[in-house]
Amino acid sequence: MNTLEIKGDWNITKGKMKQKWAQLTDSDLEYTEGKQDELVGRIQKRTGQTREAVEKAIKDLEKAA
């Protein structure tokens, strides 16, 4: 996946991400259009997970929203 598309209600997705990764801060989850790579990088840095794992988790959380 080259880019991550974050759709739907961002606040719901953000809340689910904070439940999954409790170490994330609001600052880590600041989302700005076109900054998907930066968001994934911040989550990777905090969680130690691979890019692919983070992208898959975000997609799964979006589907559940």
Side-chain angles (χ1 to χ4, degrees):
M1 172 184 287
N2 292 333
T3 61
L4 177 66
E5 293 183 25
I6 298 178
K7 298 177 182 175
D9 188 350
W10 174 238
N11 288 327
I12 292 171
T13 303
K14 183 169 70 171
K16 290 180 184 269
M17 292 170 74
K18 286 175 82 173
Q19 289 174 1
K20 180 172 180 63
W21 297 303
Q23 66 268 42
L24 296 177
T25 66
D26 287 332
S27 178
D28 292 330
L29 295 174
E30 287 180 8
Y31 172 72
T32 305
E33 191 69 35
K35 299 283 187 173
Q36 297 93 337
D37 290 334
E38 184 179 331
L39 173 65
V40 171
R42 283 190 237 154
I43 295 170
Q44 277 185 272
K45 184 176 179 180
R46 288 276 188 189
T47 65
Q49 295 185 346
T50 65
R51 177 177 190 81
E52 292 79 19
V54 170
E55 289 177 343
K56 182 182 182 318
I58 293 171
K59 278 188 166 189
D60 291 346
L61 292 170
E62 287 176 341
K63 288 178 186 176

